[in-house]
Amino acid sequence: MASIIAQATEKLSIVETVYVDEVAGSDEGTGTETSPMKTPLKALEKHGENIKIVIKKDEEGYKDISGAALKKAKKSLLEHQRKLKKQEEQKQKLEEELKKKHEEEAKALERAKSIVLTQDTSLPKAEKIKIRQSTDSRGKRVKVSGWVHRLRVQGKDMMFVILRDGSGFLQCVLTGELCHTFDAITLTTESTITVYGVINALPEGKKAPDNHELVVDYWELVGKAPDGDEAFNSKVTTDADPSYLLDNRHLVLRGETSAAVFKARAEVIKAFRAHYESRGYTEVTPPCMVQTQVEGGATLFEFNYYGETAYLTQSSQLYLETCLPSLGDVFSLAESYRAEKSHTRRHLSEYSHLEAEMAFLTFEDMLDNIEDLVCDVIDRVMAHEPTRKLIEQLNPTFQPPARPFLRMNYADAIKYLKDNDIKKEDGSYYQYGEDIPEAPERAMTDKINRPILLCRFPANIKAFYMQKCSDDPSVTESVDVLMPNVGEIVGGSMRMNDMNELLEAYKREGIDPSPYYWYTDQRKYGTCPHGGYGLGVERFLAWLLNRHTVRDCSLYPRFTGRCTP
Ligand code: 4AD
């Protein structure tokens, strides 16, 4: 008897005491006096029901838990355990269902592998076409290859593919067995395929590109694009970080907006060439590797040319000037390079520079020529139906600029900035003789909201070669064309045609005249009044197509810190 009592006492004495402090405890605690828990429920859950709970609610210290509180905690524990069990059962059920689904899919895929499509040899031979030819090819059996731009699966027996080949978009409809093959079930966007079938006009009310669709009778996979995390649509999203999108520029270019920009760009370039052709200019192709500067040493990209210092050209202007005596008015479209330190939305390190040079003309003639170029090129692209549609797609509110452009002198621009309270960052006004930077220039242009030919800049803020105005030699026969939303898109001037004046200008700018001997010679061997301009193609496009930055108008933009891909 004594030993039974002793055993019971020993058992009682080993009942664990768990400390609960409802104010300062934590359910992460161990339950000792120095690390109390916060709630009786968690104490029971962690230490089991065979414990003694002492609880502290206020300053008075630990007391045994009341019978009612213990009962309540045990009831809560039971409920909690029931809930957990239910959750666990549901989880298991879901896992089993998912496993079953995967197994079924795997089986379906295995079955699909055995389905092999064959061409129906009784059908007419398919003629290979590009999508742009599809309207003319309606009713005939054709073969079209391209990329899966969009994919919509409708039930087990129907798939819609919007096919893209760069020349257009074509809806293709696949039915029955054509949708059951392994390649059909696993088809992804950006995969390449070849489809065979007949293009039929769509009935009223149904919509697809060019209002027709290709009813596929046979198709082949050419190259499968990845799915899952690597899938095109998860990689290229419009809300992605700009730098990530630039790293993936090769994929971004496949998008409808980019494609529209570069289609329009190609047409705009064609229109520039057509304009010059119609006005009797000759196109020339000057070198990109040079040993002279045009627009100041600060933005020169220098490189080692067989042991000599050379530069990537900033402008082909000086070379164009040398062509006047033999070819007459000339133009070139070449890449220009600027080591711009500025990270702005209109500066590139490499840009497409359209430049023209004309002989025997006045400054006023040149301004007229620039206005003619801009307006005629806009007229040409707007008259070309597909390009007009691209412009409407990208810039729905675009209105061709009205002639004549506003002609404004630099001095008046300085006054305009002051009158309209457009200030420097430090709160002061721009003074005559200072360069007008991008922000105030754009503020002014946006406010005026029409093209401006900004003329007669002071000589000290312009390039060495600019002709001085005869009525005021402190200013030059120079012009910047400013467009709303972008700012400067063209820079031009008349050129000094007096040799001695040019030699003085080299001296003033600290330029060694010797590498410029060929440029100086133009003034020696029959000089003439002449002038020209350079137009930044990406800036022109940013204006026309309403792009936020010139980067969007360059295939693979180069700017500070980016030379890839
Ligand atoms: O005003 P700029 O520097 O003039 C010249 O280079 C002259 N030599 C051209 C000439 O008279 N033949 O540049 C002309 C145009 C600018 O108006 C602008 O549109 C573009 O070239 N441009 C740039 N575009 C993109 N990124 C840059 N970093 C640019 N710098 C100039």
Short mmCIF file of all heavy atoms in Angstrom, two decimals, residues 37 74 288 318 333 435 494:
data_model
loop_
_atom_site.label_atom_id
_atom_site.label_comp_id
_atom_site.label_asym_id
_atom_site.label_seq_id
_atom_site.Cartn_x
_atom_site.Cartn_y
_atom_site.Cartn_z
N MET A 37 4.49 30.86 -22.14
CA MET A 37 3.71 30.92 -23.37
C MET A 37 2.61 31.96 -23.18
O MET A 37 2.47 32.54 -22.11
CB MET A 37 3.12 29.55 -23.67
CG MET A 37 4.23 28.52 -23.88
SD MET A 37 3.63 26.96 -24.47
CE MET A 37 3.11 27.34 -26.11
N LYS A 74 -9.40 23.34 -23.38
CA LYS A 74 -9.42 21.97 -23.92
C LYS A 74 -10.42 21.85 -25.05
O LYS A 74 -10.17 21.19 -26.07
CB LYS A 74 -9.74 20.97 -22.81
CG LYS A 74 -8.55 20.72 -21.91
CD LYS A 74 -8.80 19.61 -20.92
CE LYS A 74 -7.53 19.33 -20.13
NZ LYS A 74 -7.76 18.44 -19.01
N CYS A 288 32.04 56.28 -91.55
CA CYS A 288 31.70 56.40 -90.12
C CYS A 288 32.96 56.58 -89.27
O CYS A 288 32.89 57.03 -88.13
CB CYS A 288 30.97 55.15 -89.64
SG CYS A 288 29.21 55.25 -89.99
N LEU A 318 30.38 67.42 -92.81
CA LEU A 318 31.58 67.95 -93.47
C LEU A 318 31.83 67.21 -94.79
O LEU A 318 32.24 67.82 -95.78
CB LEU A 318 32.80 67.82 -92.56
CG LEU A 318 32.67 68.38 -91.12
CD1 LEU A 318 34.04 68.46 -90.45
CD2 LEU A 318 32.01 69.74 -91.08
N LEU A 333 22.00 58.99 -95.22
CA LEU A 333 21.34 58.42 -94.04
C LEU A 333 22.34 57.45 -93.45
O LEU A 333 22.61 56.38 -94.01
CB LEU A 333 20.06 57.68 -94.45
CG LEU A 333 19.35 56.95 -93.32
CD1 LEU A 333 18.99 57.89 -92.17
CD2 LEU A 333 18.09 56.26 -93.82
N ASP A 435 22.64 78.36 -73.36
CA ASP A 435 22.02 77.27 -74.11
C ASP A 435 20.66 76.98 -73.46
O ASP A 435 20.54 77.02 -72.23
CB ASP A 435 22.94 76.04 -74.00
CG ASP A 435 22.54 74.99 -75.00
OD1 ASP A 435 21.91 75.34 -76.01
OD2 ASP A 435 22.86 73.81 -74.75
N MET A 494 23.51 77.56 -92.14
CA MET A 494 24.34 77.90 -93.29
C MET A 494 25.78 77.73 -92.80
O MET A 494 26.06 77.83 -91.59
CB MET A 494 24.08 79.33 -93.73
CG MET A 494 22.66 79.57 -94.23
SD MET A 494 22.27 78.56 -95.70
CE MET A 494 23.24 79.42 -96.93
#
